[in-house]
């Protein structure tokens, strides 16, 4: 029995497909299949049920896979302990980030890490919350930047910041000249939403629960659309297909910096009937206290590189985070 074979069975249990598991382990499918078969023969038990369309873990296999995950994590800790003896920050840090945070935080974060801890390069993984939690559990990543709430899996967490939401409307929309919009007013609009799996979709539905019904004839709803990313949604807004709610860090910094002057200029241009000069999308704050999401850093309690976690938090706090409330 080898650590490599344990890695293979953990990957197959997760992917439930020989080809996908082989890709995840960077080996050929025959290599993975032969190694798993060899381990089953050594243990004299069946770990997986194989069929033409699906691979499932046997009840005994589930217990063995859990133990294999623990063994792999313990083996990884031995290497980390050795590295910490030389330099607590030496070696890469495997960081997961949800899709609605990654594009807006990572460019600045990577620059900060390179500037302050070049010996600790970030190995980045963007994914859904559920997938990142699974990768944390299996030791595929060391830590993750997530938005609360998420299922309690016994992880250690550190609060990073509270991020307010804004409303994005087409520049030609009736609400485009407003300085603020009440959440109630969105009920009568065509709302563009992220697809299932995005936690930010759930955050938007908390603000506008009426859109959870996805019915074109439901009271107060005209129609709902779904997109695969925030940037796709923004382009749909620019095309005049509807309005949406976005996290503030996704709003172009130039718009935030000159919001008041931009609103004034927009009104003046509109009065001169020069639509070609208008921006395609207007970002407008909520009336009163805006809805927010809390962003946190999560890691396994058994992860031993405490200094690396602290360095990552410091790098995040060093980033430009316009409009958000930093948390200690």
């Amino acid at each position: 029995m080898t650590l490599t074979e344990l890695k293979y069975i953990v990957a197959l249990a997760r992917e439930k497909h020989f080809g996908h598991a082989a890709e995840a382990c960077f080996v050929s499918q025959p290599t993975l299949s032969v190694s798993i078969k060899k381990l089953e023969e050594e243990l004299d038990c069946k770990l997986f049920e194989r069929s033409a369309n699906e691979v499932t873990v046997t009840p005994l296999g589930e217990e063995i896979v859990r133990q294999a995950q623990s063994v792999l994590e313990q083996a990884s800790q031995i290497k980390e302990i050795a590295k910490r003896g030389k330099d607590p920050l030496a070696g890469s840090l495997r960081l997961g980030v949800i899709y609605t945070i990654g594009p807006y935080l990572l460019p600045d974060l990577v620059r900060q890490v390179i500037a302050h801890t070049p010996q600790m390069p970030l190995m980045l993984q963007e994914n859904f919350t559920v997938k990142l939690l699974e990768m944390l559990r299996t030791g595929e990543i060391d830590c993750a930047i997530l938005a609360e709430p998420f299922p309690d899996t016994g992880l250690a967490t550190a609060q990073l910041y509270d991020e307010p939401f804004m409303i994005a409307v087409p520049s030609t929309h009736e609400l485009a000249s407003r300085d603020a919009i009440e959440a109630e007013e969105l009920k009568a609009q065509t709302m563009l939403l992220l697809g299932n799996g995005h936690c930010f979709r759930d955050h938007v539905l908390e603000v506008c629960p009426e859109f959870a019904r996805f019915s074109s004839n439901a009271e107060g709803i005209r129609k709902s659309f779904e997109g695969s990313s925030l940037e796709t949604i923004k382009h749909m807004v620019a095309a005049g297909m509807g309005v949406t709610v976005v996290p503030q860090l996704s709003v172009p910094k130039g718009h935030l910096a000159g919001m008041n002057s931009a609103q004034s200029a927009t009104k003046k241009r509109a009065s001169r009937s020069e639509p070609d000069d208008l921006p395609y999308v207007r970002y407008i704050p909520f009336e009163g206290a805006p809805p927010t999401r809390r962003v946190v850093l999560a890691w396994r309690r058994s992860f031993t590189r405490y200094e690396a976690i602290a360095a990552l938090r410091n790098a995040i706090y060093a980033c430009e985070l316009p409009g958000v409330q930093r948390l200690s």
Side-chain angles (χ1 to χ4, degrees):
M1 184 187 307
T2 66
L3 291 177
T4 299
E5 290 169 346
L6 297 183
K7 178 182 175 183
Y8 290 166
I9 66 171
V10 168
L12 184 57
R14 181 183 67 250
E15 302 292 343
K16 296 180 172 57
H17 186 281
F18 276 94
H20 296 164
E23 290 177 7
C25 296
F26 302 102
V27 297
S28 66
Q29 183 171 330
T31 297
L32 182 132
S33 299
V34 169
S35 296
I36 291 177
K37 185 66 176 176
K38 175 176 173 290
L39 181 59
E40 287 180 320
E41 292 174 353
E42 179 181 346
L43 298 175
D44 193 23
C45 68
K46 201 168 192 177
L47 303 178
F48 301 95
E49 294 288 353
R50 300 153 172 88
S51 66
N53 301 320
E54 188 179 34
V55 176
T56 58
V57 189
T58 64
L60 182 58
E62 289 182 356
E63 187 175 347
I64 291 174
V65 167
R66 282 196 298 270
Q67 186 62 36
Q69 291 171 343
S70 177
V71 170
L72 290 172
E73 186 171 331
Q74 293 295 325
S76 176
Q77 287 183 16
I78 292 175
K79 295 179 181 179
E80 296 300 338
I81 291 171
K83 289 179 182 178
R84 288 180 65 196
K86 301 176 182 178
D87 182 353
L89 300 179
S92 61
L93 184 69
R94 298 171 297 174
L95 172 65
V97 188
I98 58 175
Y99 289 119
T100 56
I101 291 178
Y104 316 111
L105 176 65
L106 287 180
D108 198 4
L109 177 58
V110 170
R111 285 193 292 269
Q112 295 294 338
V113 170
I114 291 174
H116 296 98
T117 53
Q119 73 275 38
M120 188 186 76
L122 295 179
M123 306 295 289
L124 302 172
Q125 170 75 235
E126 271 191 306
N127 221 308
F128 297 112
T129 298
V130 171
K131 180 63 175 177
L132 292 177
L133 289 173
E134 174 67 13
M135 296 177 74
L136 274 174
R137 187 178 69 83
T138 59
E140 292 178 76
I141 57 176
D142 302 317
C143 52
I145 298 175
L146 307 169
E148 291 184 333
F150 51 83
D152 182 6
T153 56
L155 298 171
T157 61
Q159 299 175 348
L160 296 175
Y161 55 83
D162 285 339
E163 181 179 16
F165 301 158
M166 296 187 71
I167 302 164
V169 303
S171 60
T172 55
H173 195 277
E174 60 185 0
L175 297 175
S177 61
R178 299 277 294 277
D179 293 332
I181 300 173
E182 293 185 3
E184 285 287 315
E185 297 180 78
L186 298 180
K187 292 181 180 179
Q189 302 300 322
T190 300
M191 177 65 76
L192 309 180
L193 296 171
L194 287 170
N196 286 319
H198 291 277
C199 61
F200 188 71
R201 167 197 176 92
D202 300 326
H203 295 151
V204 174
L205 291 178
E206 288 180 9
V207 179
C208 309
E210 294 78 10
F211 289 98
R213 285 176 272 175
F214 287 96
S215 173
S216 60
N217 58 5
E219 182 179 355
I221 303 175
R222 288 171 51 198
K223 197 174 182 183
S224 295
F225 296 86
E226 295 184 8
S228 59
S229 72
L230 279 177
E231 295 308 308
T232 299
I233 293 288
K234 288 181 184 179
H235 284 293
M236 293 168 69
V237 171
M241 295 182 65
V243 306
T244 195
V245 175
V246 298
Q248 186 151 324
L249 288 184
S250 74
V251 176
K253 290 182 175 61
H255 175 89
L256 291 174
M259 184 180 296
N260 293 332
S261 59
Q263 288 173 350
S264 176
T266 295
K267 292 177 181 178
K268 290 179 181 178
R269 287 195 295 267
S271 66
R272 295 198 305 267
S273 300
E274 297 177 1
D276 290 342
D277 292 335
L278 297 177
Y280 292 115
V281 180
R282 283 286 322 285
Y283 298 94
I284 304 171
F286 280 86
E287 185 73 46
T292 63
R293 67 174 176 181
R294 175 154 294 180
V295 176
V296 303
L297 179 63
W299 64 95
R300 294 184 308 283
R301 295 186 184 278
S302 58
F303 186 59
T304 58
R305 295 177 63 191
Y306 314 114
E307 295 86 354
I309 295 295
L312 179 62
R313 289 182 66 189
N314 291 336
I316 293 171
Y317 288 136
C319 293
E320 290 186 34
L321 302 174
V324 310
Q325 181 181 352
R326 301 167 194 262
L327 303 172
S328 57

